[in-house]
Amino acid sequence: MNFQIAVERLRTFLKIIAAGGKEAIKLPYAKFYILLAVPLTIVFLLFTFPYDLVIREQIKKLEGRVARNIFIGDMQINMLRDSYIEKIQMVFDGGAELNLMDIDCDVALNPVTTLFNKTAKGDVAVRNLTYNNGESILKAALSAIFAIKINPQTGLPSDGTIALKMRNISLKGITIKGFVIPPLQIPEADGNGVIKNSELTITGIRLTGPDVRGTISGTVMISRYAGGAPINLVIELDPGSAIFEEYRVLLGSIAKQNGGPVRITVTGTLQNPAVSFPNTAGNMH
């Protein structure tokens, strides 16, 4: 087709569109309907935006970095009420597994914050959290309120705040001086954290319950490889906790050092923590 003919046809088409537009504007309430169409279009985009696909993609991007494998179960994202995720399972190098089951979340979602600003704000509740590294098992219910900024290069939190609550905590498989002690039960653990430059600073998690009472504070680096994330934690336990009475042969001398809190340091990485007890060669797996 001759280029000049194509240009003429395009001009004719645009003139028809322009003429139709002018006639449409003259209709009763035409301007009102045009103005109304703008917010309605925005609302339509907000409610039909494929948030579930975006969230799945962001979580799957962590595969091979944070965890070796990540499985995501059924996901129901809702703008007007809590969203639901059936299950998130992470398998780390070395075989450790983290399972998050029955997840309710209420997160502020819109294309601007989700895609462009890379921020996440809201709360999440995990009814069943299980971490198993083959030697020890942690089970709990978890809830958190957070406001974080995501690093677009790594997909990991870089800055923000988080408030944590854990309930019905069970710790099984803890080894002290070569002896495996029965499961510890901790009814509650509450605390806050601040994320800055991909480092989580725990300002004080309070442990309450008859078996163990105390606080946890320190730092955890948010690493692309979760198992290799460096940790530097201090656990201060009340010497009146039942664990010191029940296992006084192993721990009694620790609690009697000065009558104050029993200070335990945890360093190394999340996958291979090094636990140091005062004046004893204890270790925990």
Side-chain angles (χ1 to χ4, degrees):
M1 178 184 294
N2 186 286
F3 177 73
Q4 201 65 30
I5 295 174
V7 171
E8 279 303 320
R9 289 185 177 179
L10 179 60
R11 286 177 180 171
T12 302
F13 176 74
L14 292 176
K15 287 180 181 179
I16 294 172
I17 294 296
K22 289 179 181 179
E23 291 298 322
I25 290 294
K26 295 177 183 179
L27 295 173
Y29 305 109
K31 293 181 180 179
F32 171 76
Y33 290 132
I34 292 172
L35 291 175
L36 185 62
V38 175
L40 289 177
T41 301
I42 294 173
V43 171
F44 174 78
L45 290 174
L46 288 174
F47 279 89
T48 60
F49 190 81
Y51 294 106
D52 55 338
L53 297 179
V54 173
I55 294 172
R56 281 182 181 274
E57 181 182 0
Q58 292 300 315
I59 295 176
K60 290 296 286 184
K61 281 182 179 179
L62 302 178
E63 194 169 57
R65 296 186 293 180
V66 171
R68 187 176 64 199
N69 300 108
I70 299 177
F71 170 79
I72 308 168
D74 181 49
M75 182 182 296
Q76 301 169 12
I77 305 300
N78 197 296
M79 289 286 294
L80 299 178
R81 56 181 184 273
D82 286 358
S83 300
Y84 175 78
I85 303 175
E86 175 193 22
K87 177 181 182 180
I88 298 177
Q89 180 185 51
M90 298 184 182
V91 180
F92 303 97
D93 291 335
E97 288 189 11
L98 174 64
N99 286 289
L100 309 175
M101 305 282 291
D102 290 333
I103 307 167
D104 288 325
C105 48
D106 182 9
V107 181
L109 291 174
N110 66 68
V112 175
T113 58
T114 305
L115 296 180
F116 301 107
N117 293 341
K118 299 293 184 181
T119 58
K121 182 179 181 180
D123 59 81
V124 62
V126 182
R127 293 190 183 90
N128 188 346
L129 178 153
T130 303
Y131 176 79
N132 186 346
N133 66 3
E135 296 179 341
S136 57
I137 300 175
L138 165 67
K139 293 185 177 182
L142 167 72
S143 63
I145 301 173
F146 58 89
I148 58 177
K149 180 127 181 123
I150 306 298
N151 185 318
Q153 275 73 45
T154 64
L156 298 173
S158 60
D159 297 277
T161 59
I162 184 169
L164 291 173
K165 290 185 178 182
M166 299 181 73
R167 299 288 182 267
N168 303 321
I169 305 167
S170 173
L171 286 168
K172 181 180 179 182
I174 296 177
T175 302
I176 300 175
K177 298 174 69 172
F179 292 89
V180 179
I181 67 174
L184 293 177
Q185 307 297 326
I186 304 175
E188 296 183 349
D190 300 343
N192 299 298
V194 176
I195 303 172
K196 188 173 183 180
N197 297 325
S198 296
E199 181 181 69
L200 171 63
T201 299
I202 300 170
T203 55
I205 295 178
R206 297 171 298 280
L207 308 176
T208 60
D211 286 353
V212 178
R213 295 188 301 274
T215 62
I216 301 174
S217 59
T219 60
V220 179
M221 285 300 300
I222 301 175
S223 170
R224 294 180 63 179
Y225 301 96
I231 57 177
N232 186 2
L233 302 175
V234 174
I235 304 172
E236 292 190 331
L237 300 180
D238 182 345
S241 299
I243 187 174
F244 294 111
E245 178 63 27
E246 293 178 11
Y247 306 102
R248 56 182 177 273
V249 174
L250 299 175
L251 303 174
S253 60
I254 300 175
K256 295 176 182 177
Q257 292 299 316
N258 54 21
V262 177
R263 187 181 177 91
I264 301 170
T265 59
V266 184
T267 55
T269 65
L270 285 175
Q271 189 166 328
N272 294 298
V275 182
S276 298
F277 294 88
N279 299 323
T280 186
N283 60 76
M284 182 184 301
H285 298 287

